[in-house]
Amino acid sequence: MKRVFSSVTDGRGFDLVLVGVPFTFLLALAGLPLLYNILMSFQEVDMFSLASVIRPFVGFKNYVDLFTEPETISILKNTVIFVVGSIAGQFLVGFSLALFFWINFPGASWLRGLFLVSWVMPGLVVGAIWNWILSGDFGVLNFLLQQTGLVNGNIFWRSDPNFSLWAVILANIWLGTSFNMILLATGLAAIPADLYEAAEMDGANAWQRFWTITLPMMRSTIGAIIALGLIFTLQQFDLFAAITDGGPNNSSNVAQYWAWDLSFRQYDFGKGATISVIMTVFVMFAATVYVRSTRHEVRG
Amino acid sequence: EDVKLVLWSLDRDIQPAPNLIKEFNAQNNGIQIEYRQLQFDDVVSEAMRAYSTGKAPDIIAIDNPNHAMFASRKAFLDLTDMIQQSKVIKPENYFPGPLKSATWDNKYYGVPKATNTIALYYNKDLFKAAGLDPEKPPQTWTDLVATAKKLTNPSKNIYGITFSAKANEEGTFQFLPWAQMGGATYKSINSEGAVNALTVWKQMLDEKLASPDTLTRSQWDSTATFNAGNAAMAISGPWEIDRMLSDAKFQWGTALLPVPGEGAQRSSAMGDFNWAIFSSTKHPKEAFKALEFFASKDATMYKNFGQLPARSDLPVPPTGNALKDSALATFVEQLKYAQPRGPSPEWPKISKAIQDAIQAALTGQMAPKAALDQAAAKIKSIDG
Amino acid sequence: MTHQIELSAVNKYYGAYHALKDIDLSIRKGSFVALVGPSGCGKSTLLRSLAGLETISSGDLVIAGKRMNGVPPRKRDLAMVFQSYALYPHMTVEQNLTYSLKINGVRKAERQRAAADVAAITGLSNLLHRYPRELSGGQRQRVAMSRAIIRNPQAFLFDEPLSNLDAALRVHMRKEIRALHDRLGATSVYVTHDQVEAMTMADHVVVMRNGIIEQQGKPLDLYDRPANRFVAGFIGSPAMNFIPARATPDGRALVLDLAEPQTVDLGCPLPAGRALIVGIRPEHLTLAAADAVGFKVDVATVETTGAATFITTATAPEIVVALNGRSVVAAGETIRLTFAVSNVHLFDAATEQSLK
Amino acid sequence: MTHQIELSAVNKYYGAYHALKDIDLSIRKGSFVALVGPSGCGKSTLLRSLAGLETISSGDLVIAGKRMNGVPPRKRDLAMVFQSYALYPHMTVEQNLTYSLKINGVRKAERQRAAADVAAITGLSNLLHRYPRELSGGQRQRVAMSRAIIRNPQAFLFDEPLSNLDAALRVHMRKEIRALHDRLGATSVYVTHDQVEAMTMADHVVVMRNGIIEQQGKPLDLYDRPANRFVAGFIGSPAMNFIPARATPDGRALVLDLAEPQTVDLGCPLPAGRALIVGIRPEHLTLAAADAVGFKVDVATVETTGAATFITTATAPEIVVALNGRSVVAAGETIRLTFAVSNVHLFDAATEQSLK
Amino acid sequence: MSEIARNRLLLALSVVMAAIYLFPLYWMYLTALKSGSEMFATPPTFWPSSAQWRTFTYVWESRNMGRYLWNSTVIAFGAVALIAFLGTGCAYVLARYRNVWVDIGLFLILMFQVLPASLMITPIFVGFSQVGLLEYPRFAVILAITAKSMPFFVVLVRATFMAVPMELEEAALVDGNSRIGAFFNIVLPLARNGILVSAILIFMQAFGEFVYSKSMIQDIQLQPASVGLNSFMGPNTSEWNNIMAYATMYVTPILAIFVLLQRRIVSGLTSGALK
Ligand SMILES: Nc1ncnc2c1ncn2[C@@H]1O[C@H](COP(=O)(O)OP(=O)(O)OP(=O)(O)O)[C@@H](O)[C@H]1O
Ligand SMILES: Nc1ncnc2c1ncn2[C@@H]1O[C@H](COP(=O)(O)OP(=O)(O)OP(=O)(O)O)[C@@H](O)[C@H]1O
Ligand SMILES: [Mg+2]
Ligand SMILES: [Mg+2]
């Protein structure tokens, strides 16, 4: 007993307790639901059997059915575009802002705080406002574009199949900016100043310092942000519901919205779960990349 | 010890359920009802989840196209016998459409709670400005298109008409009456009349008589553009009346939905909820008593809550506001032709097939006929 | 331009703390300047100001004839060894070394050659692919050093570059640095706490205290003719002994204020009756035969490094004597010390300025 | 228990790198051990293993009679000065100093008093409320030092604690550390690159190279009787001169392998014809009168620190001569060097082991 | 360019950027003051024709917002506390070592949050109902939020711990600290930037959490503000001005608090620590 106690205060036991408890918690509350979902994708599920684990087993039928639907491929393609476009946009905008506010000028830290807005606003409100901003007839985006003479007819961001997905991406970039910005700002703050001094002595200009010091030193932060950004983007569906409803004609439909639509509008839980499993595989790939990237992190 | 019942609905504080419950509980007749408010999107999934974990409420208000899904699985209690013996609830007092939506296999699995439908609103000022007779709204589809063309004025940001072809149940709700007026049903969604209907819709979008955003805008948001004076006509339901009275700064009127041609059969969509009792209830009698109480209040439904009872035996009392009364008259008339969606336990999937067809045709990615053919095939495979 | 670097009336404040006080300093092109002074006197601050890493609060900094106050470090063409090393933790040793070359667009093959050359000098050849966190303290310092000397800058700034190296390596590096300096004809400013380094490497030594320059000059000038008591005590190790004394009223002799006052005749006129401080270096004191001239002291401790022996006396203030080789003197003995009059330094007791 | 710390067959690997190789070491209670060796030889690793910060890969570590391999650092009751200082950046100097006291439940007033006392010794009194980032390099090192000596532990581990201090302060701190050590009767292990520190402070010196202990013993023993060429060269500064030589076939005399071979008679029998290395310390070489016995060399450079002069010869290998005071010898001259036979060290050319 | 001019320029630039970025917030405030259909007017109006201040009092009173906000606060604090309690240590361990187990741990952590709340709710609801947790609905929601957001917290805070030099912890151990003591006294304070920011993000997220609350908290007395907000949405009605007024009262205070809090992100917490 004493040995166990002393291991907990001083040795490996401390580490084991620190990871053990949360992992047990997560296994129960997040791991089991994940398994439940995977299981459902191989079963036929209806309202009566939601609560039971034993349900008619259908093998890969849900998967096969899904891939015979004509829209599947285009939806998966949309998903990739959505994820890549959103993450790239959020990251670039967020990083630019973080760098900008990293410059020390009076008011910088206050103004930086305002960029948290997109994280606080309720999804319902955000959706409604973007719905309005992106409206074809009276939206402010068209209004501004026309006032500045950039376009001369209204662009129907939401209803033109060529634009609808990008409209949601635009809104999602706005939404993700705060998260990226504030975390990248924290990461920047943690880089020791003397590295920049050394780099400056070595003749590196601001641009070179950014590429050779800032970026590699922030590797662990950037890795975490992109990994999490990916997951958030893959869960985003408020915006789809508010702005395009996946339309027109599925041109802005993505896997997560489709999964939600199948599960909660068409009550086809099996297929909904199947899509989420496909997405899980996608994330698994990304998670592996992230975990591998942590090998090159710099320990302080 | 009082019997405790749980009731779920999406009614807010100014809507019937919570208020009726208050009244009911105040009677102190040994039954107390506990209320929970749900969101529109969640009613079915919450109910399913609760039902499958044995935590279903006793009574629920369910959207009429979803009724069959529960009824067909016997998740709802068969009320046929109780209704037969009831002095308050009499099937013959109800509009046939709403009643049909609560019926499955010729048995009653619920009672219509309220009803609504869609009709045409139009802006009389804009009619006048376009040289049209404000008292002669369009009667037929061709009429409608021609009128819309005249009313459309891009320089003033005015569209001829607004409606919703959104990729959700609202799109189906708006399109189905058109298809049905053309003689189609959901089982024959690719029949000629439906194709015509879709072709007319497509024409209105292609010619920019309606905003391209019709494809992604809900009925409520669409009608808001009408209220703001940016659309000359709107297709929507009675729920708009109050907002229109306060927001619309112009003269407006209502009319029945135009028909395909002179004298053609009318049809309309039917909305709103039904009462149902879960088959898992431990107190079926008490629950039915509550339904009887609610039905007994149908007469004041409009006055108190602005909703139309699904009853053909109750006149809608005048409100004192002429504009409102005339609009209501239109809707009550339109209700006579209202048909339920389905009923089918697979309605959500059927509806999805219809939405897909509408969107595919309106975005020009498929011809109306081809799109509806595809939908028909899908519906066939779903409906068996 | 003979003066490569000129500072005039430079001040630096850290908040309220006045770290550099009216520094005037001219550094000739190609010279090797050692900057010495007690811990915290402002050496690093001065170096960092030269490099442009600190903005000076007032005064002018001129490099090669151009006023440089606001010029960013990278435009000054200086190489610096940081006291804290400031190695790039995410780069291998080789990448650390070649970073500046890479920035300047030197080709890869050439960079690698340069790194190999420098690593051979600093003994890092086997460690080129390690990361800084996998190095010992001295190895890190050598990386910091190598990173500076791989370049051919106009001037080098060294901030205690050898403090964590062993004696042999230090001797070796000293030679290499000086050779490099001579080869490139660069100007070097070198902060060190090591007396031998300062005296043997530098052409010019600057002694600082509390943010001001106390004295500067050729190394041996400072050793032989310190301007004041502080410099006298600071240059030379072990430090000079200071004994309070008073000139006799006739100015002929000196009375040392030891436990028992001892009179010494310096054979030169002294300011009559004045309070003085006598300074004499440990290496200039020798053991005298019992009857020779000198003064008597009791021995407190005897330490030896093998090559030298340090005797500390039991007087107040204590006196240190440095003798060659081993000595037979033991603690507790009484010995007689003597010295050459020419090796005595006299300071005014009040101002502490040299009287010579 | 006479041995406070005992290491037997201790090995430490960093991944594939073998940092400590079969270390056997016994440290007597109350002794002051200096750990010296070239940069990267494993001194810090050994110290960190003692402290419990590195888990040793094999072998036994016994402290005060108890096997301590797996015991956490805080149960070892050691104080350590880190080579990298490891100051708590979010605490003021005072908080840094008193942190260990606070953990042990010492009262606030008492902690402050202790901090004031230590700060007075290390000259930090004015800086108690500064944060580490506001200190100079030497001041940081003094904080690191003070943080260790504020406690009364069983043993002190010092990892180059004075490397960044100026000479005067270093002398002062040396005394204080030794006095503290004696007062507490604690055991100290002291890593240093400073010869004087190692020789004057320690009772026992351990010389390491490449993860092994080359020799250990009393300071003067190492100076006088180095076991091999490495130790001979490492102890003493400037380092011992090594001249390849060969005994004459009759074993009577030695032929030094300089530019022109020179024969020296040591007056003792030598292994006939064997290849040898002659070691002689710079301070043991003296200038001989032109006609005295000795050998002739050309002078390459002459450096002086004021107190001493170092002459480097133009021979291969070069020979360094350390002379007292200033010398008149100039570069380019030819001089004769002589030495006492008793000061010569002989090493086998192949094994490099001492022949004495 | 002088220092002052530079600062002014930067300030002006950042105000412009903030103005663009904050437009949706402005629009929320604006819509709250507009009448229902004015939002859809062409061309858009950037100032309310007649400000409807009454909307705010109406919304506050009719929805009993005080109670909603209190519940949101309880849930958000509960979730943040639990997440910080469980997640900080976990992140620390995952940052401290570099081996296969850590790889596996990180991988799992990411996989644990792959499902959106809408898909997690069914199994969690089923599970909670079986163990009776639904009797304590706010606690149940806290647990669910914790499971959902902890991975996020762990991954981010881990990145922060990476920047804390191991040597400082070692120094604390030698100074006589236990691992726990060193963790709390040395490591945590130095990682506070990242922990603070992650906690802020989590708090905001939990404060607006909607999916779990609406399903698990059936008693209106216990529902959070996010659920209350949706009560303005009907099948065929959306009271945008009320929704925006509600959202305004709901968002503005937390935003203000966190604008203040995040200022504590200061640079270089560890400077001066190591040679
Ligand atoms: N994490 C590590 N990975 C690999 N090698 C390491 C690591 N840490 C130290 N070493 C190596 O172990 C050897 C011993 O290191 P240590 O720090 O003990 O040297 P040291 O004797 O203290 O040197 P110095 O005087 O330079 O401080 C060095 O060669 C070093 O490069
Ligand atoms: N950021 C700061 N804030 C306040 N005082 C500072 C700051 N940085 C340095 N100082 C003080 O300025 C003085 C000069 O510091 P500097 O680093 O130049 O000393 P130094 O001569 O290099 O000393 P060392 O030999 O110990 O490195 C010191 O007393 C130091 O405490
Ligand atoms: Mg310094
Ligand atoms: Mg070391």
Side-chain angles (χ1 to χ4, degrees), chain B residues 162-229:
Chain B
T162 184
F163 58 99
S164 172
K166 209 179 173 185
N168 66 9
E169 187 65 30
E170 289 186 64
T172 315
F173 183 64
Q174 289 241 332
F175 178 70
L176 219 49
W178 292 65
Q180 287 163 356
M181 286 186 273
T185 67
Y186 77 88
K187 293 191 195 221
S188 57
I189 197 68
N190 56 346
S191 70
E192 200 192 326
V195 174
N196 281 343
L198 191 51
T199 311
V200 172
W201 274 33
K202 186 163 158 51
Q203 187 189 356
M204 291 195 288
L205 261 84
D206 286 351
E207 296 180 14
K208 291 260 165 75
L209 308 182
S211 164
D213 274 346
T214 303
L215 282 167
T216 51
R217 206 153 55 191
S218 68
Q219 303 178 82
W220 180 256
D221 291 352
S222 296
T223 313
T225 69
F226 173 82
N227 292 347

Side-chain angles (χ1 to χ4, degrees), chain A residues 6-188:
Chain A
S6 110
S7 163
V8 167
T9 54
D10 292 305
R12 270 292 156 95
F14 181 63
D15 299 322
L16 288 180
V17 170
L18 287 187
V19 277
V21 175
F23 264 86
T24 316
F25 180 87
L26 284 180
L27 274 177
L29 266 76
L32 291 182
L34 188 60
L35 285 182
Y36 172 93
N37 230 55
I38 294 173
L39 192 66
M40 269 205 314
S41 74
F42 293 103
Q43 294 174 325
E44 190 181 318
V45 187
D46 70 5
M47 53 184 293
F48 291 91
S49 55
L50 271 181
S52 53
V53 179
I54 316 294
R55 288 173 286 227
F57 184 77
V58 296
F60 282 93
K61 177 168 178 299
N62 286 325
Y63 291 83
V64 174
D65 284 359
L66 210 64
F67 278 98
T68 49
E69 306 253 356
E71 62 262 38
T72 308
I73 295 303
S74 75
I75 290 181
L76 290 182
K77 216 171 90 195
N78 286 346
T79 312
V80 173
I81 295 174
F82 178 70
V83 165
V84 173
S86 296
I87 293 187
Q90 292 172 356
F91 184 78
L92 291 180
V93 176
F95 211 165
S96 312
L97 285 172
L99 285 169
F100 182 79
F101 286 109
W102 192 33
I103 307 172
N104 217 352
F105 61 91
S109 65
W110 290 94
L111 282 158
R112 183 182 58 198
L114 290 177
F115 282 78
L116 284 172
V117 155
S118 62
W119 192 266
V120 230
M121 283 176 56
L124 176 69
V125 172
V126 172
I129 290 171
W130 277 99
N131 177 314
W132 175 84
I133 290 176
L134 295 167
S135 267
D137 300 312
F138 48 81
V140 79
L141 186 58
N142 275 338
F143 179 75
L144 290 179
L145 288 178
Q146 292 199 2
Q147 292 293 308
T148 51
L150 287 175
V151 299
N152 43 25
N154 280 336
I155 296 175
F156 286 84
W157 299 102
R158 289 157 43 195
S159 308
D160 184 332
N162 297 319
F163 290 113
S164 55
L165 184 61
W166 294 99
V168 187
I169 290 177
L170 181 67
N172 195 38
I173 289 175
W174 180 83
L175 201 61
T177 297
S178 64
F179 156 78
N180 279 263
M181 186 279 300
I182 195 77
L183 290 168
L184 289 166
T186 330
L188 280 176

